[in-house]
Amino acid sequence: MTTALSAKEIVSKLSAEFPDAVKEAGADSVLVKSASLPAVTEYLKTADGLKFDYINYITAIDYYDYFEVVYMMTSTEYNRSVTLKTRCETRNRPTVPSLAGIYQGADWQEREVYDLMGITFKGHPNMKRVFLWEGFDGHPLRKDWNK
Amino acid sequence: MEIDENKEYIYDSYQLDCDEGKIIEQMKASTKKSIPDPADWIDADLKRNIVLTSLDWVIDWARRSSLWTAICYPACCGMEWMATLAPRFDGSRFGMEIMRASPRQADLLITAGTLTWKMAPNVRRIYNQMAEPKWVIAMGACGISGGIFRSGYNVVPGYNKIIPVDVYVPGCPPRPEALLYGIQQLQKKIGRAKAVPDLSELPNPLNELPNPLKKDKKK
Amino acid sequence: MTTTQEISLQTEPFVLNMGPLHPSTHGVYRMRVTLDGEVVLDIEPMFGYLHRGIEKLMEERTYTGCIPLTDRLDYASAMGNNLAYCVAVEKLAKIRVPERGEYIRVITAEMIRIANHCLAVGSMLNDAGALGTPFFYLWNEREKLYDLFEMLCGQRVLHNYIRIGGVSQDLPDEFLPALEKFVPQLHKFINEFEFFLKQNEILIARAQGVGVLPKDVALNCGISGPLARASGIKRDLRKDDPYSVYDRFEFDIPTAENGDCYDRYRVRMEEMKQSLHIIDQAIKKVPGGPFRAKVPQIIRPPAGEAYGHIEGPKGELGFYLVSDNSIAPYRCHIRSTSFINLTALRQMVKGWKIADLIVIFGSIDITMGEVDR
Ligand code: SF4
């Protein structure tokens, strides 16, 4: 059974390394400051006893006031999973650091989020639209997008 | 595409994407109305034709009995289309087991699946590449009207916005039997077409010329 | 591995457009292939030719109303999509499925796995040059499975059978005997089919050692399913994160070491046998009782989020749902297997000939409906 690593555990592990990275700990997910996201994921991927080496998905949700980007990683070795979240408050060109350098699987999923939700991933090698064509008006998965 | 002599045709891939986007937007803007059923607008032409029964029959028989299909299976209806060609339903009974990857060699386009705006220019291009005479069967609810995805932001509401469609096969997906029935209907339709023009109704330049035979009779 | 140095004739790299309608792209997939002569230097995949906006459409429908949309994602294995979605909703709304419902789900999920692998192996062999014959042999078996599905729910391809809290209708009386009769037949067929292809020169020449996907790359790309297992990642959600009642069945997870096209083919064949084994056990154990929990047609799950995933025929298929306590999902993200499995294509094909590109692509087993959503 893949057990989700409880937020408490992650926070206790992270607080030693990154004292001010964690903003908020939910029930089974952690809200991370977007600036420290790459460092945190890098740590989660490589640190002994964690080894979250497999990325399940990346997605984004539009809550009107802010966008939430959700990452889920699994450790195939220990069979545990972790959900990280980060937020960007602006609606105009929101930006989050990219994880494409850490997980190759993040590459296209970030492009997908960019295409449909309009969140730019900084540091991504090829930030282009995936599904829709260049010149498509707006980002359809935003709640205020209208045909 | 028109080729501009003064333009440099070396792109980076982003530029290509932008150009593709422009084509799509153009197509989106230009296709507001559905294209009518081809029989409607060809009929005016055909009405001028006589029944040269045997010759017409032979030509139509040849045309309808070996419909070669161009490939166009974007989505789920493609599964049933494959099933139609597979052994159980055996499309080869109707002379159409051959799929042609090149539209130049095909005369039937079975549009098995949802059409999106991004795909639309390509489908139009495939249709344009097919040699005359050509026919189109719109397969499935998506092919007819957009079906379950009609309200989607990237879905063309029916193939007849892009290309003229001869036969519509409803269903989501239509069963192979339904598709076969649709093909038979198309064959009937082809059978009705008049391939040889009626000379008596066309303005015949020969009529104006002095007729040597008549002269002979007078003498 | 072929490298450019081996070629005596040096040519300029040029770009070839492949797709979106190409006989071997399994739908409408397009890639820009940069070639040096015949050798693939690089590819740039392009999607969106079947982007139907399913995630957006789901936000406008009730939870039950979304099920038909999930069918149309991976249309080669519609039942698996239904199951993944329902597992996610049940996790969100904390609904328990009755025993009988769970067993029916397991049976149908394994049946669709076999049907999907029939198609996957068939089209891979098709791409490898065995045009038609093996594909049609396997398609025949798929037809027989279609018959069983039709008996079950009236639809051949897009089943729309699994519902939130169970399945839409009970098994008809004649279903289990028919399935029981079919299982040994299929087993015999698979053995026979394997025997035909075991020492097949062409298959071995075209597939063995071609398109190797190393284990670490596979893991880093997030590859799952038979593709990952062929590269030696022993991960199967049926065992590692059991959903439904999979923990009650005995079965192996076939894996291979090399991660080439041939291994992928072999893993799929083995998996079909294991699925038959599961079906065999499940038929004997199907309990009585209700087949569906008492769930209203319109549900309002409590506000929150859930990620439900299953081991679909192609790999991990997941649905991430966010609820705001209304009748429709606030947001539904589909973790589509094919899309993520395609990530590794670029690494796999570099340096191979363009004819190998087709085989490698075929061995990944994708469905464009799921890639583009
Ligand atoms: S009509 Fe139905 S089966 Fe056919 S492409 Fe559309 S959704 Fe798929």
Side-chain angles (χ1 to χ4, degrees):
Chain A
M1 196 88 184
T2 312
T3 43
L5 209 58
S6 78
K8 250 193 207 159
E9 260 178 281
I10 312 166
V11 171
S12 68
K13 289 216 165 100
L14 286 181
S15 57
E17 292 276 323
F18 311 95
D20 50 354
V22 178
K23 248 199 209 162
E24 203 182 301
D28 48 7
S29 63
V30 203
L31 190 63
V32 184
K33 266 191 197 146
S34 71
S36 47
L37 186 75
V40 168
T41 14
E42 182 83 65
Y43 172 74
L44 287 176
K45 190 186 170 191
T46 47
D48 278 343
L50 293 171
K51 288 249 185 306
F52 289 100
D53 46 5
Y54 171 89
I55 187 148
N56 287 55
Y57 63 87
I58 297 175
T59 184
I61 307 152
D62 181 4
Y63 284 113
Y64 292 102
D65 302 340
Y66 53 88
F67 290 106
E68 198 166 73
V69 187
V70 186
Y71 304 82
M72 182 172 166
M73 275 82 91
T74 305
S75 151
T76 44
E77 197 175 329
Y78 304 106
N79 206 1
R80 287 198 297 196
S81 66
V82 62
T83 311
L84 294 184
K85 289 179 180 176
T86 183
R87 281 179 190 171
C88 30
E89 315 275 340
T90 57
R91 287 197 83 75
N92 191 19
R93 297 192 65 75
T95 318
V96 170
S98 165
L99 296 190
I102 303 169
Y103 296 105
Q104 205 196 331
D107 183 342
W108 289 359
Q109 300 194 49
E110 282 177 353
R111 276 177 71 183
E112 185 199 330
V113 172
Y114 166 71
D115 189 357
L116 302 180
M117 201 61 105
I119 298 171
T120 317
F121 289 83
K122 217 165 118 199
H124 189 284
N126 188 18
M127 198 87 257
K128 285 201 300 186
R129 289 194 160 223
V130 203
F131 294 144
L132 296 165
W133 55 94
E134 296 296 333
F136 185 86
D137 188 22
H139 303 281
L141 277 187
R142 287 193 179 184
K143 289 280 174 186
D144 55 2
W145 184 85
N146 225 328
K147 275 194 266 193
Chain B
M1 194 177 102
E2 279 177 37
I3 294 168
D4 186 350
E5 294 211 342
N6 303 318
K7 205 175 154 194
E8 266 190 53
Y9 283 98
I10 296 168
Y11 294 94
D12 63 56
S13 62
Y14 180 73
Q15 191 58 42
L16 281 175
D17 288 348
C18 290
D19 285 0
E20 188 188 358
K22 266 182 221 148
I23 293 171
I24 293 166
E25 290 289 347
Q26 263 175 26
M27 177 155 269
K28 220 173 157 177
S30 68
T31 46
K32 289 279 177 270
K33 271 201 349 241
S34 338
I35 300 168
D37 195 346
D40 293 348
W41 52 270
I42 282 179
D43 241 0
D45 257 356
L46 290 179
K47 277 198 185 115
R48 295 188 289 149
N49 302 338
I50 46 154
V51 199
L52 276 179
T53 344
S54 344
L55 198 51
D56 267 344
W57 188 85
V58 169
I59 292 174
D60 287 339
W61 168 79
R63 281 179 177 174
R64 71 166 184 260
S65 313
S66 69
L67 288 168
W68 287 9
T69 51
I71 54 161
C72 176
Y73 45 90
C76 5
C77 278
M79 298 317 278
E80 287 298 53
W81 180 48
M82 274 190 253
T84 310
L85 300 184
R88 181 179 295 183
F89 292 98
D90 198 7
S92 55
R93 288 178 296 161
F94 304 90
M96 52 161 296
E97 80 275 27
I98 301 182
M99 283 199 267
R100 291 278 99 173
S102 160
R104 298 269 186 221
Q105 299 163 343
D107 34 25
L108 172 63
L109 186 66
I110 298 182
T111 62
T114 325
L115 181 63
T116 59
W117 282 114
K118 199 170 180 182
M119 191 65 202
N122 300 306
V123 169
R124 161 93 47 95
R125 193 162 157 194
I126 286 173
Y127 180 76
N128 286 345
Q129 281 182 352
M130 283 164 63
E132 293 271 4
K134 52 192 170 187
W135 296 275
V136 178
I137 294 181
M139 182 181 179
C142 288
I144 297 170
S145 67
I148 188 172
F149 301 108
R150 192 183 168 89
S151 53
Y153 49 84
N154 192 16
V155 176
V156 183
Y159 274 85
N160 60 11
K161 293 272 187 299
I162 305 292
I163 51 178
V165 176
D166 290 272
V167 174
Y168 299 85
V169 182
C172 184
R175 293 177 57 93
E177 291 97 326
L179 182 58
L180 287 177
Y181 180 69
I183 289 163
Q184 284 173 340
Q185 292 298 312
L186 180 69
Q187 287 179 332
K188 272 189 199 158
K189 188 173 176 176
I190 297 171
R192 283 204 302 272
K194 311 288 188 299
V196 183
D198 175 5
L199 293 175
S200 72
E201 280 188 18
L202 288 175
N204 191 350
L206 290 178
N207 289 345
E208 267 100 78
L209 293 175
N211 193 336
L213 290 175
K214 278 180 188 170
K215 263 181 198 171
D216 284 347
K217 268 184 190 171
K218 264 184 188 174
K219 272 177 190 174
Chain C
M1 199 158 141
T2 343
T3 54
T4 29
Q5 278 92 50
E6 282 176 29
I7 303 163
S8 51
L9 201 66
Q10 283 293 332
T11 52
E12 292 253 312
F14 71 98
V15 178
L16 179 78
N17 179 51
M18 221 171 128
L21 273 178
H22 186 274
S24 68
T25 51
H26 302 216
V28 281
Y29 175 68
R30 177 178 165 205
M31 30 192 171
R32 261 189 217 131
V33 190
T34 311
L35 295 168
D36 180 355
E38 244 188 308
V39 179
V40 178
L41 296 181
D42 202 352
I43 61 161
E44 188 195 355
M46 306 170 86
F47 320 92
Y49 295 92
L50 193 55
H51 178 63
R52 302 181 277 197
I54 289 182
E55 288 178 14
K56 185 80 178 175
L57 288 174
M58 277 178 153
E59 290 172 10
E60 303 161 359
R61 289 172 198 229
T62 60
Y63 281 92
T64 318
C66 289
I67 298 175
L69 286 179
T70 63
D71 274 320
R72 281 142 186 92
L73 283 170
D74 179 359
Y75 37 81
S77 55
M79 200 73 91
N81 306 345
N82 292 169
L83 180 58
Y85 175 73
C86 290
V87 164
V89 176
E90 280 150 17
K91 212 165 164 184
L92 188 68
K94 306 201 173 51
I95 295 168
R96 284 197 52 142
V97 183
E99 287 278 290
R100 188 175 170 83
E102 293 280 29
Y103 274 89
I104 297 174
R105 281 177 174 200
V106 168
I107 291 174
T108 51
E110 292 310 316
M111 277 164 66
I112 202 72
R113 192 185 310 279
I114 297 168
N116 179 76
H117 285 351
C118 281
L119 184 68
V121 171
S123 48
M124 182 198 146
L125 293 173
N126 220 352
D127 293 344
L131 206 65
T133 317
F135 181 77
F136 283 150
Y137 264 91
L138 285 161
W139 189 279
N140 248 348
E141 299 308 303
R142 207 180 140 95
E143 269 308 332
K144 287 173 196 160
L145 283 161
Y146 274 169
D147 281 351
L148 289 169
F149 284 130
E150 200 180 347
M151 197 188 278
L152 205 58
C153 55
Q155 245 285 24
R156 282 158 50 88
V157 185
L158 310 174
H159 310 106
N160 189 13
Y161 177 61
I162 291 168
R163 291 297 149 84
I164 299 160
V167 293
S168 75
Q169 48 206 290
D170 204 355
L171 296 176
D173 293 338
E174 62 273 22
F175 178 77
L176 281 182
L179 183 62
E180 220 164 24
K181 220 172 99 196
F182 176 61
V183 167
Q185 276 176 24
L186 186 58
H187 217 292
K188 190 164 156 261
F189 169 78
I190 292 171
N191 284 336
E192 210 172 293
F193 191 80
E194 269 202 314
F195 171 75
F196 286 145
L197 287 171
K198 207 176 224 159
Q199 297 300 326
N200 189 307
E201 283 286 334
I202 299 172
L203 179 65
I204 289 174
R206 297 276 332 247
Q208 213 160 44
V210 174
V212 177
L213 179 65
K215 190 175 171 181
D216 50 336
V217 176
L219 206 55
N220 202 12
C221 289
I223 308 291
S224 52
L227 194 58
R229 289 194 279 276
S231 294
I233 301 170
K234 197 167 172 143
R235 187 168 168 76
D236 188 324
L237 294 176
R238 288 175 292 174
K239 276 257 200 288
D240 289 323
D241 190 9
Y243 51 94
S244 207
V245 284
Y246 273 107
D247 40 1
R248 300 184 199 167
F249 297 105
E250 241 180 62
F251 62 99
D252 298 333
I253 309 173
T255 50
E257 259 71 64
N258 304 328
D260 54 8
C261 294
Y262 189 69
D263 276 358
R264 282 169 220 145
Y265 150 77
R266 254 188 37 225
V267 165
R268 292 212 171 92
M269 291 312 274
E270 283 304 316
E271 253 176 43
M272 276 155 81
K273 285 186 206 158
Q274 293 303 326
S275 293
L276 283 177
H277 188 46
I278 296 176
I279 294 176
D280 235 356
Q281 296 170 52
I283 294 173
K284 295 200 185 88
K285 283 201 244 171
V286 182
F291 56 90
R292 186 174 174 187
K294 285 212 165 53
V295 182
Q297 281 290 344
I298 292 176
I299 57 166
R300 286 172 188 275
E305 54 194 53
Y307 176 67
H309 56 180
I310 65 158
E311 182 70 34
K314 297 186 165 74
E316 177 186 351
L317 175 65
F319 282 79
Y320 176 73
L321 289 163
V322 181
S323 156
D324 59 347
N325 198 9
S326 68
I327 56 172
Y330 184 77
R331 171 91 170 86
C332 173
H333 172 73
I334 303 155
R335 190 242 188 240
S336 82
T337 327
S338 310
F339 182 57
I340 296 166
N341 280 2
L342 263 183
T343 319
L345 179 66
R346 190 152 161 244
Q347 261 109 333
M348 285 196 269
V349 297
K350 271 191 185 180
W352 290 97
K353 296 264 165 53
I354 191 157
D356 297 322
L357 165 67
I358 307 289
V359 183
I360 296 167
F361 185 76
S363 73
I364 299 179
D365 179 23
I366 60 154
T367 310
M368 283 322 282
E370 201 191 5
V371 175
D372 287 346
R373 276 158 284 163

